[in-house]
């Protein structure tokens, strides 16, 4: 019996992963020089395919780094001299805040209880804030933020940089690049790849901010600061020897998604999410953790397990369906179910049958 991984990242691998991996081996791609013409073409193709898929404007720059957590550090280092402001409703949005504090900045937060979203109309951004940080989809609790709420805040603070963590939302959830100055994600969720590659997407305002900070003697990092990443990207390269395998496979998966169509991916994701939430809302043994439907993530579905999560996880695993435990303090109280493009609706139905 082959397991189906409904975990929230790493998760079920893309069905073409093996084919693309072997394709790269046969072509010798993983042995080419990262300073050569062939790698430059590979780099340019992946960037172009990703920009087309995610509708990234031409004036945004794509950087390949190690992880989304690294992206948090880079964004704070390069965009903040003193003050950032963070919307915190779970462990990963909290991590963004803590990183800013550990880097010696003076971050402030708007915090709400786990499982809840934000009322942006009632939120004021402190004076002097240089960067506002959002988590579009909080993986620890299954709460989403709509771009419309972020847009409403941006209209009030057009000169402030906005950073959005899109790790477990992309490629499903759209991003308004007229609102977000930088976004970032890693590939082990919606792209169905092994972990080890982060994508950081920034506009010229972020680049200019980092240059001003550097000019003022502020530490913006070393090998992976924005100017260094930009200089290398301009040559279709990375500052150091990159994860060529992952960059190549990401480009091929983007090609696959483009051929399938983003609208179809979104439609299938919505259908699977509707099936999952309908089951949870009609089953008191597994109530949805996020009660307000407008805050419910479509890609990370979190269910409460009043009798404990271990037995539920074991029951599902016995039938070949692997789901995630709750995160942190909710480890024994929740299960988390990933709903990414690789997950088939028939497998969702079969998994829910086991839970009945």
């Amino acid at each position: 019996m082959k397991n189906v991984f409904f975990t929230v990242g790493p998760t079920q691998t893309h069905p073409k992963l093996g084919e693309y991996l072997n394709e790269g081996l046969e072509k010798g791609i993983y042995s080419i020089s990262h300073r050569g013409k062939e790698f430059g073409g590979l780099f340019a193709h992946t960037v172009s395919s990703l920009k087309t898929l995610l509708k990234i404007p031409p004036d945004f720059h794509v950087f390949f780094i190690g992880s989304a957590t690294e992206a948090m550090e880079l964004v704070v280092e390069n965009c903040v001299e003193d003050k950032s402001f963070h919307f915190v409703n779970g462990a990963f949005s909290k991590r963004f805040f803590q990183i800013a504090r550990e880097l010696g900045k003076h971050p402030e937060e708007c915090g709400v209880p786990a499982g809840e979203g934000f009322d942006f109309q009632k939120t004021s951004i402190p004076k002097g804030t240089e960067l506002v940080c959002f988590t579009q989809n909080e993986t620890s609790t299954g709460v989403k933020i709509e771009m419309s709420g972020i847009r409403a805040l941006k209209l009030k603070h057009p000169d402030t940089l906005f950073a959005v963590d899109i790790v477990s939302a992309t490629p499903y959830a759209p991003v308004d690049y007229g609102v977000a100055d930088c976004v970032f994600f890693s590939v082990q969720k919606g792209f169905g790849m092994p972990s080890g590659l982060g994508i950081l997407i920034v506009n010229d305002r972020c680049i200019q901010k980092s240059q001003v900070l550097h000019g003022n003697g502020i530490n913006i990092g070393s090998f992976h600061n924005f100017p260094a990443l930009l200089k290398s990207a301009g040559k279709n390269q990375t500052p150091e020897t990159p994860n060529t395998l992952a960059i190549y496979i990401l480009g091929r998966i983007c090609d696959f998604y483009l051929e399938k169509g983003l609208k179809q991916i979104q439609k299938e994701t919505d259908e699977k999410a509707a099936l999952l939430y309908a089951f949870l809302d009609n089953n008191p043994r597994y109530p949805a953790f996020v009660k307000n439907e407008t805050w419910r993530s479509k890609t990370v579905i979190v269910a409460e397990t009043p009798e404990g999560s271990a037995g539920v996880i074991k029951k599902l695993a016995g039938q070949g369906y692997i789901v995630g435990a709750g995160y942190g303090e909710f480890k024994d109280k929740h299960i988390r179910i990933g709903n990414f493009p690789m997950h088939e609706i028939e497998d969702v139905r079969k998994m829910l049958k086991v839970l009945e």
Side-chain angles (χ1 to χ4, degrees):
M1 178 177 62
K2 191 173 181 179
N3 289 334
V4 179
F5 286 85
F6 282 100
T7 42
V8 296
T11 186
Q12 185 75 7
T13 54
H14 191 277
K16 293 278 190 178
L17 176 63
E19 177 185 327
Y20 297 153
L21 178 63
N22 288 328
E23 180 181 272
L25 283 170
E26 290 170 7
K27 292 179 178 179
I29 284 171
Y30 313 136
S31 300
I32 63 175
S33 169
H34 59 292
R35 300 294 181 236
K37 184 177 179 180
E38 189 174 359
F39 177 79
L42 183 160
F43 183 110
H45 171 80
T46 298
V47 169
S48 175
S49 190
L50 184 66
K51 279 191 165 187
T52 302
L53 176 67
L54 301 185
K55 298 179 173 58
I56 302 168
D59 58 338
F60 276 70
H61 311 283
V62 176
F63 301 145
F64 297 116
I65 56 174
S67 69
T69 298
E70 182 189 358
M72 293 178 186
E73 290 195 8
L74 294 177
V75 169
V76 172
E77 283 182 317
N78 285 266
C79 296
V80 181
E81 179 176 353
D82 185 44
K83 289 185 179 180
S84 58
F85 188 77
H86 301 252
F87 286 91
V88 176
N89 63 343
F92 294 98
S93 48
K94 188 72 172 181
R95 178 183 294 181
F96 208 168
F97 170 80
Q98 289 171 331
I99 284 172
R101 189 161 56 188
E102 288 165 4
L103 286 171
K105 312 302 179 183
H106 296 93
E108 295 185 41
E109 66 176 297
C110 171
V112 295
E116 294 188 13
F118 302 96
D119 185 345
F120 293 111
Q121 298 295 335
K122 295 181 179 179
T123 304
S124 60
I125 305 299
K127 188 177 181 181
T129 297
E130 301 158 80
L131 177 73
V132 182
C133 303
F134 306 86
T135 301
Q136 190 180 27
N137 199 89
E138 176 52 72
T139 313
S140 67
T141 57
V143 177
K144 69 175 180 179
I145 293 176
E146 295 287 359
M147 286 303 301
S148 57
I150 301 176
R151 189 182 306 114
L153 268 183
K154 186 71 168 184
L155 289 172
K156 297 178 182 178
H157 305 275
D159 297 327
T160 305
L161 294 175
F162 277 28
V164 186
D165 171 347
I166 63 170
V167 170
S168 56
T170 195
Y172 166 77
V175 172
D176 184 345
Y177 288 95
V179 170
D181 296 285
C182 66
V183 303
F184 55 87
F185 67 94
S186 45
V187 297
Q188 71 271 19
K189 299 178 189 289
F191 290 86
M193 292 173 55
S195 58
L197 182 66
I199 315 298
L200 175 59
I201 303 161
V202 306
N203 65 11
D204 286 333
R205 294 184 67 221
C206 294
I207 300 294
Q208 290 161 8
K209 176 71 173 185
S210 68
Q211 291 169 336
V212 169
L213 292 179
H214 183 62
N216 291 338
I218 306 299
N219 180 19
I220 60 170
S222 56
F223 224 52
H224 269 192
N225 62 47
F226 283 7
L229 287 163
L230 180 65
K231 182 179 178 181
S232 291
K235 297 182 287 187
N236 290 325
Q237 296 178 3
T238 55
E240 74 298 304
T241 308
N243 188 342
T244 303
L245 183 154
I247 294 171
Y248 173 72
I249 291 176
L250 175 61
R252 296 293 283 119
I253 290 175
C254 287
D255 294 341
F256 179 93
Y257 284 166
L258 283 167
E259 186 174 342
K260 182 170 184 174
L262 193 54
K263 286 186 177 179
Q264 181 62 24
I265 290 170
Q266 292 166 335
K267 178 176 178 290
E268 291 175 1
T269 303
D270 287 339
E271 289 171 350
K272 290 178 291 177
L275 197 63
L276 285 159
Y277 280 120
F279 175 85
L280 300 181
D281 287 339
N282 288 282
N283 195 319
R285 290 184 298 164
Y286 313 107
F289 178 57
V290 181
K291 307 306 179 188
N292 187 326
E293 293 185 14
T294 62
W295 293 336
R296 288 178 174 177
S297 166
K298 298 292 185 69
T299 54
V300 176
I301 288 81
V302 179
E304 296 177 282
T305 53
E307 297 178 8
S309 63
V312 179
I313 293 169
K314 184 177 180 181
K315 178 181 180 180
L316 287 167
Q319 298 299 314
Y321 301 106
I322 312 301
V323 300
Y327 195 90
E329 64 180 295
F330 299 109
K331 176 179 175 59
D332 300 321
K333 302 174 183 177
H334 293 171
I335 58 170
R336 293 179 296 155
I337 302 169
N339 178 25
F340 300 117
M342 302 75 63
H343 296 119
E344 301 287 344
I345 196 164
E346 272 309 306
D347 286 326
V348 173
R349 290 193 177 102
K350 290 175 183 177
M351 178 187 65
L352 294 179
K353 273 286 185 185
V354 177
L355 282 178
E356 283 181 348

